[in-house]
Amino acid sequence: MSTILDYPRPMTTAPPPPTPVQLMDGLARAAAAYYRHFAEVAAEQGLTLMQGKVLSLLRRPMPMRTLAELLACDASNVTGITDRLEARGLVRRAVDQTDRRVKNVLLTEEGERTVALIRAELMSGLTTLGQLDEDERRTLHDLLGRVFPQA
Amino acid sequence: MSTILDYPRPMTTAPPPPTPVQLMDGLARAAAAYYRHFAEVAAEQGLTLMQGKVLSLLRRPMPMRTLAELLACDASNVTGITDRLEARGLVRRAVDQTDRRVKNVLLTEEGERTVALIRAELMSGLTTLGQLDEDERRTLHDLLGRVFPQA
DNA sequence: CGAGAATGGTTGACATACTCAACCATCTGG
DNA sequence: CCAGATGGTTGAGTATGTCAACCATTCTCG
C-alpha cells in the first residue's frame, strides 16, 4: 500500500520512528502494565500496591522520612502504611541511636521472606524480559536511565 | 547484524549487561518516575492521578466497563471517579442507544481543554525524551512494546 | 414468546491511601 | 540555654479501592 511514501533509508527495513506522542503513550502503557503486574503479585501476598512498594524499597533500613521522599508522599501517609505493615509483622520501627527523633524502618524475617517471594514472582511473571538478548537488555536499561535519570 | 539499532560505542569498552534484577529495578524506577511526573501535572489542574488517567484514556467515548478494564479496577470504583469528574464538568455520561444498559463516558469541551493541557505539560516536562535521536526513540518504543505487549 | 441467566451500572459498607494542619520530641546553631 | 528546624504522629477530611447486593436491560434457548 505505502509505495509512494518511501524515501531513502538504510538497506535494512527501518520502521518509521514513533512520534513523541506515540512514545509517551508507550511509556504510559508500560508503566501501567508494570504496576498492574506488581499489584497482582503483591495481592498474592495479601498486600496492597503501596505496601508491596514499601517492602521492596527496604533493601536496607531507612527513616520514615526517606521513605516518604522515595514514595513522593506526605510523611503522615508513611506512618499509616508502616502501621499496617508492622501490624502484620513484616516490618519493625527502630529508634535511631544517633538521632532519637528518627525511626528506622526495617524488614522482619517474615518481611524478608515476603519480599523475596514478591521479587521472584515479579521476575517470573515478566517472561518477556527474558526474551531480550544481552544487547537489548543493556540498551533498554540505558535508555530508561537516560529518560528517567536517577534522583 | 542489526547495525542500525546499535548506537555508537568504543569497541573496547562494552559495558556489562544489566542483570535481570537490575533491569527490573530500572523498570520500577522508570514507572515510578513516570507516575510521579504524571501526578504532578494532573495536580496542576486540580486533579488526582486517577482522574487524570481517566481523562487521558477518553480519546474517544467509552463505556464505564471498558474504563474499569483499562484501569484494572472494580466497576464501582469507576462510578465514583466518573461522578467526581462529572461534578467538575469535565466528563459526561451518555446512554448508549444500541444497548441502554451501557453508559458511554465522554469528555466535555472543558474536559478536552484540560486533557490537552495535561498532555502538553506531560511532554514538555519530560525534556529527556527530546534528547533521544530517531533511532533511540524507535528502539525504546520497540523494546517497551516487546516487554509489555499490547493487551 | 417467555423465564432465567448474563451483563452494565449503581449503591452501601468498609479498608486503605493521601493531604493538610496541629502537635510533641529531639536536635542544632547561635 | 533558647529559638528554630527537623522527624514523626495524630486527627479531620477526601479519594481510591474492594466486595456484596441490587436494578435495569439484554441475551439465550427451550
PDB file of all heavy atoms in Angstrom, chain D residues 6-17:
ATOM      1  P    DT D   6      14.972  22.281  58.292  1.00  0.00           P
ATOM      2  OP1  DT D   6      16.060  22.098  57.311  1.00  0.00           O
ATOM      3  OP2  DT D   6      13.631  22.755  57.898  1.00  0.00           O
ATOM      4  O5'  DT D   6      14.773  20.904  59.070  1.00  0.00           O
ATOM      5  C5'  DT D   6      15.837  20.392  59.845  1.00  0.00           C
ATOM      6  C4'  DT D   6      15.392  19.120  60.535  1.00  0.00           C
ATOM      7  O4'  DT D   6      14.628  19.445  61.720  1.00  0.00           O
ATOM      8  C3'  DT D   6      14.497  18.226  59.673  1.00  0.00           C
ATOM      9  O3'  DT D   6      14.996  16.903  59.735  1.00  0.00           O
ATOM     10  C2'  DT D   6      13.128  18.358  60.329  1.00  0.00           C
ATOM     11  C1'  DT D   6      13.530  18.569  61.781  1.00  0.00           C
ATOM     12  N1   DT D   6      12.501  19.210  62.634  1.00  0.00           N
ATOM     13  C2   DT D   6      12.232  18.663  63.861  1.00  0.00           C
ATOM     14  O2   DT D   6      12.808  17.682  64.286  1.00  0.00           O
ATOM     15  N3   DT D   6      11.277  19.314  64.589  1.00  0.00           N
ATOM     16  C4   DT D   6      10.565  20.442  64.210  1.00  0.00           C
ATOM     17  O4   DT D   6       9.725  20.937  64.947  1.00  0.00           O
ATOM     18  C5   DT D   6      10.888  20.962  62.906  1.00  0.00           C
ATOM     19  C7   DT D   6      10.166  22.174  62.399  1.00  0.00           C
ATOM     20  C6   DT D   6      11.823  20.329  62.191  1.00  0.00           C
ATOM     21  P    DG D   7      14.366  15.731  58.887  1.00  0.00           P
ATOM     22  OP1  DG D   7      15.496  14.928  58.395  1.00  0.00           O
ATOM     23  OP2  DG D   7      13.360  16.281  57.975  1.00  0.00           O
ATOM     24  O5'  DG D   7      13.614  14.897  60.012  1.00  0.00           O
ATOM     25  C5'  DG D   7      14.372  14.092  60.902  1.00  0.00           C
ATOM     26  C4'  DG D   7      13.450  13.196  61.686  1.00  0.00           C
ATOM     27  O4'  DG D   7      12.618  14.031  62.528  1.00  0.00           O
ATOM     28  C3'  DG D   7      12.486  12.368  60.827  1.00  0.00           C
ATOM     29  O3'  DG D   7      12.457  11.030  61.327  1.00  0.00           O
ATOM     30  C2'  DG D   7      11.153  13.074  60.976  1.00  0.00           C
ATOM     31  C1'  DG D   7      11.255  13.705  62.341  1.00  0.00           C
ATOM     32  N9   DG D   7      10.510  14.955  62.491  1.00  0.00           N
ATOM     33  C8   DG D   7      10.437  15.985  61.589  1.00  0.00           C
ATOM     34  N7   DG D   7       9.693  16.986  62.000  1.00  0.00           N
ATOM     35  C5   DG D   7       9.245  16.585  63.252  1.00  0.00           C
ATOM     36  C6   DG D   7       8.410  17.255  64.181  1.00  0.00           C
ATOM     37  O6   DG D   7       7.876  18.362  64.080  1.00  0.00           O
ATOM     38  N1   DG D   7       8.203  16.485  65.328  1.00  0.00           N
ATOM     39  C2   DG D   7       8.749  15.242  65.562  1.00  0.00           C
ATOM     40  N2   DG D   7       8.451  14.674  66.717  1.00  0.00           N
ATOM     41  N3   DG D   7       9.543  14.612  64.697  1.00  0.00           N
ATOM     42  C4   DG D   7       9.743  15.341  63.570  1.00  0.00           C
ATOM     43  P    DG D   8      11.534   9.951  60.595  1.00  0.00           P
ATOM     44  OP1  DG D   8      12.108   8.624  60.864  1.00  0.00           O
ATOM     45  OP2  DG D   8      11.291  10.402  59.219  1.00  0.00           O
ATOM     46  O5'  DG D   8      10.186  10.058  61.429  1.00  0.00           O
ATOM     47  C5'  DG D   8      10.184   9.626  62.790  1.00  0.00           C
ATOM     48  C4'  DG D   8       8.864   9.948  63.438  1.00  0.00           C
ATOM     49  O4'  DG D   8       8.638  11.358  63.361  1.00  0.00           O
ATOM     50  C3'  DG D   8       7.645   9.299  62.783  1.00  0.00           C
ATOM     51  O3'  DG D   8       7.197   8.236  63.623  1.00  0.00           O
ATOM     52  C2'  DG D   8       6.629  10.431  62.679  1.00  0.00           C
ATOM     53  C1'  DG D   8       7.261  11.581  63.437  1.00  0.00           C
ATOM     54  N9   DG D   8       6.984  12.898  62.869  1.00  0.00           N
ATOM     55  C8   DG D   8       7.414  13.389  61.665  1.00  0.00           C
ATOM     56  N7   DG D   8       7.009  14.615  61.426  1.00  0.00           N
ATOM     57  C5   DG D   8       6.263  14.942  62.541  1.00  0.00           C
ATOM     58  C6   DG D   8       5.573  16.128  62.862  1.00  0.00           C
ATOM     59  O6   DG D   8       5.473  17.171  62.192  1.00  0.00           O
ATOM     60  N1   DG D   8       4.949  16.045  64.089  1.00  0.00           N
ATOM     61  C2   DG D   8       4.978  14.940  64.918  1.00  0.00           C
ATOM     62  N2   DG D   8       4.315  15.030  66.069  1.00  0.00           N
ATOM     63  N3   DG D   8       5.625  13.823  64.649  1.00  0.00           N
ATOM     64  C4   DG D   8       6.241  13.893  63.442  1.00  0.00           C
ATOM     65  P    DT D   9       5.864   7.444  63.253  1.00  0.00           P
ATOM     66  OP1  DT D   9       5.914   6.139  63.949  1.00  0.00           O
ATOM     67  OP2  DT D   9       5.678   7.520  61.802  1.00  0.00           O
ATOM     68  O5'  DT D   9       4.717   8.314  63.962  1.00  0.00           O
ATOM     69  C5'  DT D   9       4.792   8.491  65.367  1.00  0.00           C
ATOM     70  C4'  DT D   9       3.637   9.348  65.849  1.00  0.00           C
ATOM     71  O4'  DT D   9       3.721  10.650  65.230  1.00  0.00           O
ATOM     72  C3'  DT D   9       2.251   8.793  65.495  1.00  0.00           C
ATOM     73  O3'  DT D   9       1.538   8.575  66.708  1.00  0.00           O
ATOM     74  C2'  DT D   9       1.636   9.861  64.598  1.00  0.00           C
ATOM     75  C1'  DT D   9       2.428  11.111  64.971  1.00  0.00           C
ATOM     76  N1   DT D   9       2.559  12.120  63.895  1.00  0.00           N
ATOM     77  C2   DT D   9       1.988  13.342  64.048  1.00  0.00           C
ATOM     78  O2   DT D   9       1.338  13.655  65.027  1.00  0.00           O
ATOM     79  N3   DT D   9       2.188  14.215  62.995  1.00  0.00           N
ATOM     80  C4   DT D   9       2.902  13.974  61.844  1.00  0.00           C
ATOM     81  O4   DT D   9       3.015  14.833  60.969  1.00  0.00           O
ATOM     82  C5   DT D   9       3.473  12.665  61.737  1.00  0.00           C
ATOM     83  C7   DT D   9       4.268  12.287  60.527  1.00  0.00           C
ATOM     84  C6   DT D   9       3.285  11.804  62.755  1.00  0.00           C
ATOM     85  P    DT D  10       0.086   7.910  66.662  1.00  0.00           P
ATOM     86  OP1  DT D  10      -0.056   7.232  67.955  1.00  0.00           O
ATOM     87  OP2  DT D  10      -0.045   7.159  65.407  1.00  0.00           O
ATOM     88  O5'  DT D  10      -0.945   9.131  66.619  1.00  0.00           O
ATOM     89  C5'  DT D  10      -0.861  10.157  67.586  1.00  0.00           C
ATOM     90  C4'  DT D  10      -1.895  11.234  67.307  1.00  0.00           C
ATOM     91  O4'  DT D  10      -1.426  12.083  66.244  1.00  0.00           O
ATOM     92  C3'  DT D  10      -3.271  10.714  66.866  1.00  0.00           C
ATOM     93  O3'  DT D  10      -4.256  11.254  67.730  1.00  0.00           O
ATOM     94  C2'  DT D  10      -3.413  11.194  65.422  1.00  0.00           C
ATOM     95  C1'  DT D  10      -2.493  12.400  65.389  1.00  0.00           C
ATOM     96  N1   DT D  10      -1.885  12.701  64.065  1.00  0.00           N
ATOM     97  C2   DT D  10      -2.001  13.959  63.543  1.00  0.00           C
ATOM     98  O2   DT D  10      -2.598  14.861  64.099  1.00  0.00           O
ATOM     99  N3   DT D  10      -1.383  14.134  62.318  1.00  0.00           N
ATOM    100  C4   DT D  10      -0.687  13.189  61.607  1.00  0.00           C
ATOM    101  O4   DT D  10      -0.181  13.464  60.522  1.00  0.00           O
ATOM    102  C5   DT D  10      -0.610  11.887  62.207  1.00  0.00           C
ATOM    103  C7   DT D  10       0.131  10.789  61.503  1.00  0.00           C
ATOM    104  C6   DT D  10      -1.202  11.706  63.390  1.00  0.00           C
ATOM    105  P    DG D  11      -5.778  10.766  67.673  1.00  0.00           P
ATOM    106  OP1  DG D  11      -6.315  10.909  69.040  1.00  0.00           O
ATOM    107  OP2  DG D  11      -5.844   9.456  66.987  1.00  0.00           O
ATOM    108  O5'  DG D  11      -6.484  11.870  66.743  1.00  0.00           O
ATOM    109  C5'  DG D  11      -6.216  13.242  66.979  1.00  0.00           C
ATOM    110  C4'  DG D  11      -7.047  14.094  66.055  1.00  0.00           C
ATOM    111  O4'  DG D  11      -6.277  14.362  64.846  1.00  0.00           O
ATOM    112  C3'  DG D  11      -8.358  13.456  65.580  1.00  0.00           C
ATOM    113  O3'  DG D  11      -9.359  14.467  65.495  1.00  0.00           O
ATOM    114  C2'  DG D  11      -7.992  12.884  64.229  1.00  0.00           C
ATOM    115  C1'  DG D  11      -6.982  13.903  63.709  1.00  0.00           C
ATOM    116  N9   DG D  11      -5.996  13.370  62.783  1.00  0.00           N
ATOM    117  C8   DG D  11      -5.436  12.114  62.794  1.00  0.00           C
ATOM    118  N7   DG D  11      -4.572  11.930  61.835  1.00  0.00           N
ATOM    119  C5   DG D  11      -4.555  13.132  61.142  1.00  0.00           C
ATOM    120  C6   DG D  11      -3.813  13.527  60.007  1.00  0.00           C
ATOM    121  O6   DG D  11      -2.994  12.882  59.367  1.00  0.00           O
ATOM    122  N1   DG D  11      -4.109  14.839  59.638  1.00  0.00           N
ATOM    123  C2   DG D  11      -5.006  15.654  60.275  1.00  0.00           C
ATOM    124  N2   DG D  11      -5.152  16.871  59.774  1.00  0.00           N
ATOM    125  N3   DG D  11      -5.703  15.299  61.339  1.00  0.00           N
ATOM    126  C4   DG D  11      -5.432  14.027  61.715  1.00  0.00           C
ATOM    127  P    DA D  12     -10.869  14.092  65.005  1.00  0.00           P
ATOM    128  OP1  DA D  12     -11.780  14.754  65.949  1.00  0.00           O
ATOM    129  OP2  DA D  12     -10.963  12.636  64.779  1.00  0.00           O
ATOM    130  O5'  DA D  12     -10.990  14.839  63.600  1.00  0.00           O
ATOM    131  C5'  DA D  12     -10.603  16.211  63.511  1.00  0.00           C
ATOM    132  C4'  DA D  12     -10.727  16.688  62.077  1.00  0.00           C
ATOM    133  O4'  DA D  12      -9.587  16.217  61.317  1.00  0.00           O
ATOM    134  C3'  DA D  12     -11.975  16.177  61.344  1.00  0.00           C
ATOM    135  O3'  DA D  12     -12.539  17.216  60.578  1.00  0.00           O
ATOM    136  C2'  DA D  12     -11.426  15.046  60.487  1.00  0.00           C
ATOM    137  C1'  DA D  12     -10.032  15.563  60.150  1.00  0.00           C
ATOM    138  N9   DA D  12      -9.079  14.503  59.841  1.00  0.00           N
ATOM    139  C8   DA D  12      -8.937  13.308  60.484  1.00  0.00           C
ATOM    140  N7   DA D  12      -7.980  12.551  59.975  1.00  0.00           N
ATOM    141  C5   DA D  12      -7.470  13.300  58.934  1.00  0.00           C
ATOM    142  C6   DA D  12      -6.448  13.056  58.002  1.00  0.00           C
ATOM    143  N6   DA D  12      -5.729  11.940  57.983  1.00  0.00           N
ATOM    144  N1   DA D  12      -6.193  14.012  57.092  1.00  0.00           N
ATOM    145  C2   DA D  12      -6.915  15.139  57.116  1.00  0.00           C
ATOM    146  N3   DA D  12      -7.911  15.483  57.938  1.00  0.00           N
ATOM    147  C4   DA D  12      -8.138  14.509  58.837  1.00  0.00           C
ATOM    148  P    DG D  13     -13.984  17.026  59.873  1.00  0.00           P
ATOM    149  OP1  DG D  13     -14.690  18.316  60.010  1.00  0.00           O
ATOM    150  OP2  DG D  13     -14.580  15.775  60.366  1.00  0.00           O
ATOM    151  O5'  DG D  13     -13.645  16.837  58.318  1.00  0.00           O
ATOM    152  C5'  DG D  13     -12.761  17.748  57.689  1.00  0.00           C
ATOM    153  C4'  DG D  13     -12.296  17.164  56.372  1.00  0.00           C
ATOM    154  O4'  DG D  13     -11.256  16.182  56.622  1.00  0.00           O
ATOM    155  C3'  DG D  13     -13.395  16.427  55.586  1.00  0.00           C
ATOM    156  O3'  DG D  13     -13.467  16.936  54.270  1.00  0.00           O
ATOM    157  C2'  DG D  13     -12.945  14.984  55.613  1.00  0.00           C
ATOM    158  C1'  DG D  13     -11.435  15.131  55.700  1.00  0.00           C
ATOM    159  N9   DG D  13     -10.791  13.933  56.192  1.00  0.00           N
ATOM    160  C8   DG D  13     -11.128  13.166  57.278  1.00  0.00           C
ATOM    161  N7   DG D  13     -10.352  12.127  57.439  1.00  0.00           N
ATOM    162  C5   DG D  13      -9.447  12.209  56.393  1.00  0.00           C
ATOM    163  C6   DG D  13      -8.372  11.368  56.035  1.00  0.00           C
ATOM    164  O6   DG D  13      -7.993  10.336  56.591  1.00  0.00           O
ATOM    165  N1   DG D  13      -7.716  11.828  54.907  1.00  0.00           N
ATOM    166  C2   DG D  13      -8.051  12.964  54.203  1.00  0.00           C
ATOM    167  N2   DG D  13      -7.314  13.249  53.132  1.00  0.00           N
ATOM    168  N3   DG D  13      -9.048  13.754  54.519  1.00  0.00           N
ATOM    169  C4   DG D  13      -9.700  13.318  55.613  1.00  0.00           C
ATOM    170  P    DT D  14     -14.697  16.447  53.295  1.00  0.00           P
ATOM    171  OP1  DT D  14     -15.326  17.657  52.757  1.00  0.00           O
ATOM    172  OP2  DT D  14     -15.483  15.405  53.985  1.00  0.00           O
ATOM    173  O5'  DT D  14     -13.912  15.740  52.108  1.00  0.00           O
ATOM    174  C5'  DT D  14     -12.919  16.464  51.392  1.00  0.00           C
ATOM    175  C4'  DT D  14     -12.080  15.510  50.586  1.00  0.00           C
ATOM    176  O4'  DT D  14     -11.446  14.569  51.476  1.00  0.00           O
ATOM    177  C3'  DT D  14     -12.894  14.668  49.584  1.00  0.00           C
ATOM    178  O3'  DT D  14     -12.371  14.886  48.293  1.00  0.00           O
ATOM    179  C2'  DT D  14     -12.695  13.236  50.064  1.00  0.00           C
ATOM    180  C1'  DT D  14     -11.389  13.330  50.827  1.00  0.00           C
ATOM    181  N1   DT D  14     -11.174  12.283  51.850  1.00  0.00           N
ATOM    182  C2   DT D  14     -10.099  11.441  51.714  1.00  0.00           C
ATOM    183  O2   DT D  14      -9.311  11.510  50.784  1.00  0.00           O
ATOM    184  N3   DT D  14      -9.970  10.504  52.701  1.00  0.00           N
ATOM    185  C4   DT D  14     -10.800  10.331  53.792  1.00  0.00           C
ATOM    186  O4   DT D  14     -10.576   9.439  54.613  1.00  0.00           O
ATOM    187  C5   DT D  14     -11.910  11.242  53.878  1.00  0.00           C
ATOM    188  C7   DT D  14     -12.866  11.132  55.030  1.00  0.00           C
ATOM    189  C6   DT D  14     -12.046  12.176  52.911  1.00  0.00           C
ATOM    190  P    DA D  15     -13.022  14.161  47.014  1.00  0.00           P
ATOM    191  OP1  DA D  15     -12.972  15.119  45.905  1.00  0.00           O
ATOM    192  OP2  DA D  15     -14.301  13.541  47.403  1.00  0.00           O
ATOM    193  O5'  DA D  15     -11.985  12.996  46.702  1.00  0.00           O
ATOM    194  C5'  DA D  15     -10.602  13.296  46.625  1.00  0.00           C
ATOM    195  C4'  DA D  15      -9.836  12.033  46.297  1.00  0.00           C
ATOM    196  O4'  DA D  15      -9.720  11.223  47.483  1.00  0.00           O
ATOM    197  C3'  DA D  15     -10.480  11.144  45.232  1.00  0.00           C
ATOM    198  O3'  DA D  15      -9.452  10.630  44.399  1.00  0.00           O
ATOM    199  C2'  DA D  15     -11.182  10.080  46.055  1.00  0.00           C
ATOM    200  C1'  DA D  15     -10.242   9.931  47.247  1.00  0.00           C
ATOM    201  N9   DA D  15     -10.889   9.499  48.481  1.00  0.00           N
ATOM    202  C8   DA D  15     -11.986  10.043  49.078  1.00  0.00           C
ATOM    203  N7   DA D  15     -12.339   9.448  50.191  1.00  0.00           N
ATOM    204  C5   DA D  15     -11.397   8.443  50.340  1.00  0.00           C
ATOM    205  C6   DA D  15     -11.203   7.450  51.313  1.00  0.00           C
ATOM    206  N6   DA D  15     -11.995   7.308  52.388  1.00  0.00           N
ATOM    207  N1   DA D  15     -10.166   6.609  51.154  1.00  0.00           N
ATOM    208  C2   DA D  15      -9.374   6.750  50.093  1.00  0.00           C
ATOM    209  N3   DA D  15      -9.447   7.641  49.100  1.00  0.00           N
ATOM    210  C4   DA D  15     -10.493   8.462  49.294  1.00  0.00           C
ATOM    211  P    DT D  16      -9.807   9.727  43.172  1.00  0.00           P
ATOM    212  OP1  DT D  16      -8.849  10.042  42.105  1.00  0.00           O
ATOM    213  OP2  DT D  16     -11.264   9.785  42.947  1.00  0.00           O
ATOM    214  O5'  DT D  16      -9.429   8.282  43.734  1.00  0.00           O
ATOM    215  C5'  DT D  16      -8.112   8.058  44.180  1.00  0.00           C
ATOM    216  C4'  DT D  16      -7.998   6.674  44.772  1.00  0.00           C
ATOM    217  O4'  DT D  16      -8.794   6.569  45.970  1.00  0.00           O
ATOM    218  C3'  DT D  16      -8.467   5.550  43.840  1.00  0.00           C
ATOM    219  O3'  DT D  16      -7.428   4.594  43.788  1.00  0.00           O
ATOM    220  C2'  DT D  16      -9.727   5.031  44.537  1.00  0.00           C
ATOM    221  C1'  DT D  16      -9.399   5.298  45.989  1.00  0.00           C
ATOM    222  N1   DT D  16     -10.537   5.370  46.937  1.00  0.00           N
ATOM    223  C2   DT D  16     -10.558   4.507  48.008  1.00  0.00           C
ATOM    224  O2   DT D  16      -9.696   3.677  48.200  1.00  0.00           O
ATOM    225  N3   DT D  16     -11.637   4.655  48.851  1.00  0.00           N
ATOM    226  C4   DT D  16     -12.668   5.577  48.728  1.00  0.00           C
ATOM    227  O4   DT D  16     -13.574   5.617  49.555  1.00  0.00           O
ATOM    228  C5   DT D  16     -12.580   6.445  47.586  1.00  0.00           C
ATOM    229  C7   DT D  16     -13.638   7.473  47.362  1.00  0.00           C
ATOM    230  C6   DT D  16     -11.529   6.308  46.757  1.00  0.00           C
ATOM    231  P    DG D  17      -7.413   3.504  42.580  1.00  0.00           P
ATOM    232  OP1  DG D  17      -6.020   3.119  42.340  1.00  0.00           O
ATOM    233  OP2  DG D  17      -8.243   4.046  41.483  1.00  0.00           O
ATOM    234  O5'  DG D  17      -8.157   2.241  43.203  1.00  0.00           O
ATOM    235  C5'  DG D  17      -7.478   1.449  44.153  1.00  0.00           C
ATOM    236  C4'  DG D  17      -8.448   0.576  44.908  1.00  0.00           C
ATOM    237  O4'  DG D  17      -9.295   1.394  45.724  1.00  0.00           O
ATOM    238  C3'  DG D  17      -9.433  -0.212  44.047  1.00  0.00           C
ATOM    239  O3'  DG D  17      -8.909  -1.527  43.836  1.00  0.00           O
ATOM    240  C2'  DG D  17     -10.698  -0.269  44.897  1.00  0.00           C
ATOM    241  C1'  DG D  17     -10.390   0.592  46.094  1.00  0.00           C
ATOM    242  N9   DG D  17     -11.515   1.461  46.438  1.00  0.00           N
ATOM    243  C8   DG D  17     -11.983   2.565  45.780  1.00  0.00           C
ATOM    244  N7   DG D  17     -13.016   3.121  46.349  1.00  0.00           N
ATOM    245  C5   DG D  17     -13.256   2.317  47.444  1.00  0.00           C
ATOM    246  C6   DG D  17     -14.248   2.408  48.437  1.00  0.00           C
ATOM    247  O6   DG D  17     -15.152   3.238  48.547  1.00  0.00           O
ATOM    248  N1   DG D  17     -14.118   1.379  49.374  1.00  0.00           N
ATOM    249  C2   DG D  17     -13.145   0.391  49.349  1.00  0.00           C
ATOM    250  N2   DG D  17     -13.183  -0.511  50.324  1.00  0.00           N
ATOM    251  N3   DG D  17     -12.213   0.302  48.443  1.00  0.00           N
ATOM    252  C4   DG D  17     -12.330   1.291  47.520  1.00  0.00           C
TER     253       DG D  17
END
